[in-house]
Amino acid sequence: MTLALTGCSAVTPSRAGSGGGLVLRVQGMPPATDKPALALFKKQVADFEKANPGIEVKGSTTVFDPLTFSAKLSGGNVEDVIKVPLTEPPRLIEQGQVQPITGQLQEWDHFDEFNPQILKPLSDAAGEVYGVPQNPYAQGLVYNRDLFAQAGLDPDRPPTTWQQVRTAAQRISDRTGKAGFVHESKDNQGGWQLTMLSYAFGGELERRDGGTYTASFTGEPVKKALNLLKDMRWKDDSLGRNLLNNQNDVIRQFAAGQVGMFMGSPGTYRLATT
């Protein structure tokens, strides 16, 4: 996500450039090693500066770091335009650390094409929008049609419930010897996947009560999610032999035809089929 920061007391506003114009500090500049992307970024900067005389854009290769972001923000050491994960905008909006850009966005021809659900985390209660969604995506079930056919399953009718996923995974495992379903579990990705799975069971990992947040990961939906994985491992034996996988591991296994199903985004599917 991309957000435009305000010049409030917690943030150092852009300084005037050598010619007296405004200097706009912008995150998202590609590293020097990515020459094509960097060239495109510089062209976009040049085009912007030509269309907006008096504004100088200074690109930054800074990336979001959850361990340092809050301290840098409080100290006024972040850029004017920043890129943050989807988890950050609601807090930044509530604390008044970003400014609305609704008017500018509404002038854009493609603004109406945004999915309202994607804009919701970037908006306040009054409907003001504070950022631009850059890389939104949805999780979905990625499955191997060949393994479905080999297991006697209809590739044109994939599972639509978690019970159906479990049944299909066991069938694939029993009849093909491949992992019916693989769940990411290492490099901090297990928590992300468990969160997604818990949401699918109607749960959430934290609950807001007024201005207080309370952990709710001991609730019934999370237990159901964990029990599903437990049963698939210890009762069905459909998760394969290697249970420690990150996203890259899963993609490689899927591309090699060793995995029946996994939860992924459109990007992971593309990588798994190239």
Side-chain angles (χ1 to χ4, degrees), residues 14 23 41 51 70-71 79 111 178:
S14 296
V23 175
F41 181 87
S70 294
E79 292 77 4
F111 176 71
K178 312 295 185 182

Side-chain angles (χ1 to χ4, degrees), residues 119-182:
L119 291 177
K120 189 174 181 180
L122 298 166
S123 307
D124 61 17
E128 292 285 352
V129 184
Y130 291 75
V132 179
Q134 186 180 39
N135 293 308
Y137 66 90
Q139 286 279 84
L141 184 71
V142 183
Y143 67 98
N144 185 310
R145 293 178 62 88
D146 289 340
L147 288 182
F148 262 59
Q150 293 174 31
L153 300 167
D154 186 351
D156 294 325
R157 299 181 64 184
T160 58
T161 69
W162 282 107
Q163 182 55 51
Q164 291 176 6
V165 168
R166 179 182 174 184
T167 299
Q170 186 171 16
R171 177 81 70 87
I172 292 170
S173 179
D174 290 346
R175 297 195 179 184
T176 71
K178 312 295 185 182
F181 180 83
V182 172

Side-chain angles (χ1 to χ4, degrees), residues 76-103:
N77 295 317
V78 295
E79 292 77 4
D80 304 294
V81 179
I82 61 173
K83 298 174 66 175
V84 297
L86 185 61
T87 53
E88 298 302 311
R91 176 175 64 88
L92 296 173
I93 294 170
E94 184 177 355
Q95 294 176 352
Q97 293 173 308
V98 288
Q99 65 179 3
I101 55 174
T102 315

Side-chain angles (χ1 to χ4, degrees), residues 234-272:
W234 299 107
K235 292 183 179 180
D236 305 342
D237 193 22
S238 61
L239 298 185
R241 299 273 70 84
N242 183 11
L243 301 178
L244 295 177
N245 298 283
N246 60 24
Q247 186 177 84
N248 291 334
D249 296 330
V250 174
I251 290 172
R252 283 193 293 268
Q253 293 173 43
F254 184 84
Q258 302 299 307
V259 172
M261 296 174 286
F262 74 95
M263 291 302 296
S265 65
T268 58
Y269 171 75
R270 176 182 60 82
L271 291 172

Side-chain angles (χ1 to χ4, degrees), residues 198-232:
S198 300
Y199 286 168
F201 277 94
E204 53 188 1
L205 298 190
E206 65 177 15
R207 181 176 60 256
R208 180 176 180 178
D209 185 9
T212 303
Y213 289 87
T214 304
S216 56
F217 53 80
T218 58
E220 196 60 31
V222 180
K223 292 179 181 178
K224 288 181 179 179
L226 288 171
N227 278 324
L228 171 70
L229 296 175
K230 175 185 175 183
D231 289 342
M232 292 177 74

